[in-house]
């Protein structure tokens, strides 16, 4: 009996693999893989809506032509529009021909469930036998993974853990991907088959955004981070990215506490110096000093303050505030203890030139020092050209001077001191030492006949139009507001000579040199000369002069900054927004 059942199922599979899915629900007498309706149900052709029937008929047509993937899309849409369980037989038929055995089984089980009470005995038996015959070609896999993880097999979402039951997979090589917010994605390609069911354990690793913090403090200083001890004197550890409270304490010394902000994959080094407890009674110097801009810097950014010589001051308070514009904490001010009276204060920040100023510390209100240090970049390498804004767009006057020229298909040569005058539109990428520019240009002019070697009736004077597209890499020499450019050029030229020559696109290559002048942060002017050889013609000399727009926020920030150190009373110190 078992052998007979299997033989029948195999025969049905052959039908599934070879028959064309005719609309048996609409024509009950037709044979094939489509289930026959039972009882008083309307034929499928009558029960489907107009849109569903169009998709259903389209699926039949595609399946009969062997396009089972396209037919599957049509049958799926017909089912979505009609919710008629009988369409699922056609869906299973296409899945089988695409060798999606697990999906075929799932679709047939759905067909049986939705057709409960309406399917005939033979229809139900046919579907059950096909399911039994296909099961050896699938494996039921149970995923052991924490709750809330999305599970994908071959880039198809099969569910979110915990799954109520295992996932039926086709045998063969399957790609499994498991994702969950806050964890690293798990991916694995594994062979499936040979057993009826198998379990797969997935261990997800937390996706921790972290950086490295190095702390150097006096040898006897107890260090804590977010109220947890991290060592004595020195600490080198990896911590989660974000803001953390760093605290250092030692016997007889004033407790030092500050916020340290660590970016993902950043290494930050913090050097701490502790003051004796008596320093708490001293008046404070409030320091609000930036580097190459108005934004105040703190000890974490390398700020070091000297008072009356080489001795460095240890800060007693680093005040930070949240900046909505920058979406991070910025320094509001740093306070240092000092004895009342007159002092010489010097501020140093890496990459900037240190400065000093006289400061008078009031016994009650202390003092303040504000300002900014200039960058230590050499003057000629600073400014808009030494620190360019990266991208540029420009509009230029464009002049073409080919001299005497004769393309290979021209019977006579023509002469033009200036053949074409027009405009050039371009843009580019600009760094301190290198640039890459692209240009598209058009010009119009005239030329005169230079030779009479033939009897062709050619005009003595005629109009000339020229088109060009050029790519120009360059080496730059920045000199503050001026930059010298020297590089190669490559591109295409097209020159049309009225009544003489209808130009074809010609390749070009040559050298060019130019000068940029940028007195403002965003606008400048440029002049360049390009000498290029053109295929099938004499060389061409072009002149280009115009203006360009190159937004440079760093330049604007530096030029709006009041550089120098300015001493005053503590209560007169500006707020962060004023300092910036």
């Amino acid at each position: 009996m078992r052998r007979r059942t299997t033989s029948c199922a195999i025969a049905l599979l052959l039908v599934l693999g070879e028959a064309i899915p005719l609309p048996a629900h609409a024509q009950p007498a037709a044979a094939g893989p489509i289930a026959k309706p039972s009882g008083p149900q309307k034929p499928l052709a009558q029960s489907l809506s107009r849109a569903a029937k169009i998709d259903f008929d389209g699926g039949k047509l595609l399946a009969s032509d062997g396009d089972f993937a396209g037919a599957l899309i049509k049958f799926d849409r017909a089912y979505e529009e009609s919710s008629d369980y009988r369409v699922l037989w056609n869906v299973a038929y296409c899945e089988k021909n695409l060798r999606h055995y697990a999906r075929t089984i799932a679709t047939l089980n759905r067909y049986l469930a939705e057709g409960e009470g309406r399917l005939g005995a033979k229809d139900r038996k046919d579907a059950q036998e096909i399911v039994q015959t296909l099961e050896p070609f699938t494996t039921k896999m149970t995923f052991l993974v924490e709750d809330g993880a999305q599970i994908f097999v071959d880039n198809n979402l099969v569910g979110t853990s915990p799954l109520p039951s295992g996932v039926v997979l086709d045998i063969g090589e399957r790609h499994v991907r498991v994702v969950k917010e806050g964890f690293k994605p798990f991916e694995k390609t594994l062979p499936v088959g040979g057993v009826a069911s198998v379990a797969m354990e997935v261990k997800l690793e937390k996706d921790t955004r972290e950086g490295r913090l190095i702390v150097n403090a006096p040898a006897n200083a107890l260090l804590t981070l977010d109220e947890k001890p991290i060592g004595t004197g020195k600490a080198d550890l990896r911590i989660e990215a974000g803001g953390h409270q760093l605290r250092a304490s030692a016997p007889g010394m004033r407790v030092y506490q500050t916020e340290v902000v660590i970016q993902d994959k950043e290494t930050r080094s913090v050097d701490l110096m502790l003051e004796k407890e008596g320093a708490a009674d001293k008046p404070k110097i409030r320091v609000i000093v930036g580097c190459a801009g108005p934004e105040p810097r703190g000890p974490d950014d390398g700020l070091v303050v000297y008072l009356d010589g080489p001795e460095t001051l240890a800060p007693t308070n680093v005040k930070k505030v949240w900046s909505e514009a920058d979406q991070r904490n910025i320094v509001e001010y740093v306070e240092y203890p000092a004895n009342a009276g007159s002092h010489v204060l010097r501020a140093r920040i890496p990459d900037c030139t240190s400065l000093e100023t006289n400061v008078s510390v009031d016994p009650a209100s202390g003092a303040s020092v504000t300002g900014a240090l200039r960058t230590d970049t050499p003057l000629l390498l600073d400014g808009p050209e030494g620190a360019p804004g990266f991208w540029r767009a420009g509009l230029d006057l464009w002049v073409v001077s080919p001299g005497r020229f004769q393309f290979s298909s021209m019977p006579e040569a023509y002469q033009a001191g200036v053949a074409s005058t027009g405009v050039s539109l371009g843009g580019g990428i600009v760094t301190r030492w290198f640039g890459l520019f692209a240009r598209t240009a058009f010009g119009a002019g005239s030329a005169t006949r230079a030779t009479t070697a033939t009897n062709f009736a050619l005009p003595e004077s005629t109009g000339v139009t020229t088109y060009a597209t050029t790519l120009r890499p360059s080496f730059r020499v920045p000199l503050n507001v001026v930059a010298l450019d020297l590089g190669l050029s490559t591109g295409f030229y097209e020159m049309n000579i009225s009544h003489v020559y209808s130009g074809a696109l010609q390749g070009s290559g040559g050298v060019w040199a130019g000068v940029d002048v940028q007195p403002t942060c965003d606008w400048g002017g440029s002049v360049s000369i390009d000498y290029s050889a053109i295929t099938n013609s004499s060389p061409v000399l072009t002149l280009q002069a115009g203006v360009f727009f190159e937004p440079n926020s760093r330049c604007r920030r530096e030029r709006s900054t009041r550089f120098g150190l300015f001493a005053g009373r503590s209560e007169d110190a500006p707020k962060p927004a004023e300092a910036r």
Side-chain angles (χ1 to χ4, degrees), residues 93-111:
Y93 167 76
C94 294
E95 296 282 18
K96 161 61 185 64
N97 280 279
L98 293 170
R99 293 181 172 81
H100 300 161
Y101 302 130
R103 295 185 190 176
T104 304
I105 292 174
T107 303
L108 288 175
N109 285 333
R110 189 175 175 186
Y111 166 77

Side-chain angles (χ1 to χ4, degrees), residues 113-306:
E114 294 186 14
E116 183 69 33
R118 292 179 287 178
L119 279 173
K122 185 177 183 306
D123 297 335
R124 178 171 294 279
K125 181 180 178 182
D126 289 347
Q128 290 172 341
E129 287 186 350
I130 294 173
V131 170
Q132 292 173 4
T133 306
L134 291 180
E135 281 179 345
F137 301 101
T138 64
T139 293
K140 187 175 183 180
M141 177 169 286
T142 301
F143 291 93
L144 305 177
V145 61
E146 61 180 88
D147 294 352
Q150 289 186 315
I151 301 171
F152 295 81
V153 178
D154 296 335
N155 294 323
N156 295 313
L157 178 64
V158 297
T160 302
S161 61
L163 299 176
S165 60
V167 180
V168 178
L169 305 177
D170 293 329
I171 61 174
E173 195 173 74
R174 305 270 76 84
H175 180 74
V176 175
R177 183 163 62 95
V178 182
V179 296
K180 183 179 179 181
E181 187 175 354
F183 293 83
K184 295 180 181 179
F186 172 89
E187 295 193 52
K188 186 175 183 180
T189 299
L190 68 160
V192 174
V195 292
S197 62
V198 66
M200 180 179 181
E201 184 176 4
V202 178
K203 293 183 178 180
L204 297 178
E205 298 181 13
K206 285 191 175 181
D207 186 13
T208 304
R209 297 169 60 85
E210 61 180 16
R212 182 184 177 193
L213 175 64
I214 302 173
V215 182
N216 297 304
N220 62 340
L222 175 63
L223 305 176
T224 63
L225 190 72
D226 300 331
E227 300 183 357
K228 297 179 181 178
I230 59 173
T232 301
K234 293 186 177 182
D236 187 343
L237 66 161
R238 302 196 68 83
I239 60 175
E240 185 177 351
H244 300 270
Q245 290 294 324
L246 176 64
R247 187 173 185 271
S249 60
M253 308 298 286
R254 176 176 169 80
V255 174
Y256 176 86
Q257 183 168 323
T258 186
E259 182 180 29
V260 179
V261 180
I262 299 290
Q263 305 294 332
D264 187 30
K265 299 179 182 178
E266 177 190 18
T267 297
R268 168 155 289 193
S269 181
V270 178
D271 297 323
L272 302 181
M273 293 171 289
L274 302 183
E275 284 282 348
K276 293 182 179 180
E277 289 182 342
D281 302 326
K282 293 181 180 180
K284 304 296 187 297
I285 301 176
R286 182 170 291 186
V287 177
I288 306 173
V289 175
C291 175
E295 181 180 327
R297 301 293 182 92
D300 291 351
D301 305 308
L303 172 67
V304 179
V305 173
Y306 303 85

Side-chain angles (χ1 to χ4, degrees), residues 456-486:
F456 284 95
L458 300 176
E460 292 299 321
S461 178
T462 186
V464 178
T465 57
T466 307
Y467 306 86
T469 299
T470 311
L471 185 67
R472 308 199 298 184
S474 74
F475 171 72
R476 306 178 72 247
V477 180
L479 303 171
N480 198 274
V481 298
V482 177
L484 308 178
D485 293 274
L486 180 64

Side-chain angles (χ1 to χ4, degrees), residues 389-475:
F390 188 69
W391 69 267
R392 171 187 297 183
L395 180 66
D396 302 279
L397 173 68
W398 184 63
V399 180
V400 182
S401 178
R404 181 170 172 169
F405 60 93
Q406 183 176 10
F407 293 101
S408 58
S409 59
M410 290 174 56
E412 300 289 350
Y414 274 74
Q415 179 77 33
V418 176
S420 296
T421 301
V423 295
S424 169
L425 181 64
I429 297 173
V430 188
T431 66
R432 174 173 288 177
W433 299 107
F434 298 97
L436 179 63
F437 307 95
R439 179 193 68 184
T440 298
F442 165 78
S446 62
T448 58
R449 186 169 175 173
T451 62
T452 56
T454 66
N455 294 321
F456 284 95
L458 300 176
E460 292 299 321
S461 178
T462 186
V464 178
T465 57
T466 307
Y467 306 86
T469 299
T470 311
L471 185 67
R472 308 199 298 184
S474 74
F475 171 72

